[in-house]
Amino acid sequence: MFARSELFADLPFLPPAFSLRAETAADESARESLLDAAMGPNRRRKSSEAIRRDRLPAEGLSLVAESDEGELLGTVRLWNVSAGSREGAEVPALLLGPLAVSTRCEGLGIGSALMRRAIAESRWRGHGAIVLVGDAPFYERFGFAADRAADLAMPGPFERHRLLGLELRDGALSGARGAIVPTGRLVETLAAA
């Protein structure tokens, strides 16, 4: 029988075992470092950041992937938004992002696991739809499509083909048009309570 180290000697490193859990306040520093490394210095200039700024993530929808050693390997958050309007009424939805994985762990399924958990958790909590700005080839495997967000717009510049939607309930984005705007709780609201 081979020792584990002999079997995997040709790998640059052993893929970490990881688990998914709810984000905690103690994760903030590691999460911010991971996001800076994965997304670069301009990450705060994106249109989706304007929606997230000064808001709290949706209740129960901030998730992290953590190694068995306690290292933060990935993160995803979802935010309460209005995905435009339909017949004069706001269309409640979630904005997903950012999703990021440690650069040394890309391609190991951590991002996919976070996505599946985020979608399942959103559906379980009764949300009807998720929108995001991202690479269609990655997000299409989870059911996201550009046509579901075709009549929606982000604040500021964005690439139309990267605005994607997923209906967690049939028809949740049907007829929705207009700007995606934040509806979630303000950070100050929590401090004042």
Side-chain angles (χ1 to χ4, degrees), residues 17-183:
F18 67 92
S19 58
L20 304 181
R21 63 170 174 78
E23 178 186 303
T24 67
D27 297 319
E28 183 177 356
S29 177
R31 183 192 70 243
E32 290 301 310
S33 294
L34 185 146
L35 290 171
D36 286 342
M39 305 185 92
N42 293 328
R43 73 178 176 95
R44 289 187 171 87
R45 294 184 184 155
K46 296 181 177 190
S47 292
S48 38
E49 184 61 30
I51 293 174
R52 296 188 291 259
R53 191 171 295 119
D54 298 326
R55 301 283 174 163
L56 295 170
E59 186 70 32
L61 294 174
S62 295
L63 306 168
V64 297
E66 179 180 59
S67 74
D68 287 350
E69 292 78 33
E71 179 187 358
L72 197 77
L73 302 176
T75 178
V76 66
R77 287 173 149 192
L78 292 101
W79 309 79
N80 296 104
V81 297
S82 172
S85 63
R86 174 178 44 233
E87 299 175 5
E90 289 185 348
V91 176
L94 296 168
L95 174 70
L96 187 140
L99 168 68
V101 174
S102 169
T103 54
R104 71 179 189 85
C105 296
E106 290 174 350
L108 299 178
I110 294 171
S112 293
L114 282 165
M115 280 300 300
R116 286 186 183 88
R117 177 72 176 271
I119 292 167
E121 202 59 44
S122 298
R123 184 176 281 123
W124 183 80
R125 291 176 177 274
H127 295 282
I130 303 172
V131 293
L132 61 81
V133 177
D135 296 323
F138 177 78
Y139 291 105
E140 284 172 345
R141 74 179 98 166
F142 306 106
F144 285 87
D147 64 339
R148 293 193 189 100
D151 294 323
L152 298 175
M154 295 290 289
F158 71 100
E159 297 175 75
R160 163 72 43 209
H161 68 281
R162 292 172 48 86
L163 183 56
L164 310 173
L166 170 68
E167 292 181 333
L168 302 174
R169 283 194 309 263
D170 287 341
L173 291 174
S174 180
R177 58 183 66 249
I180 297 169
V181 296
T183 60

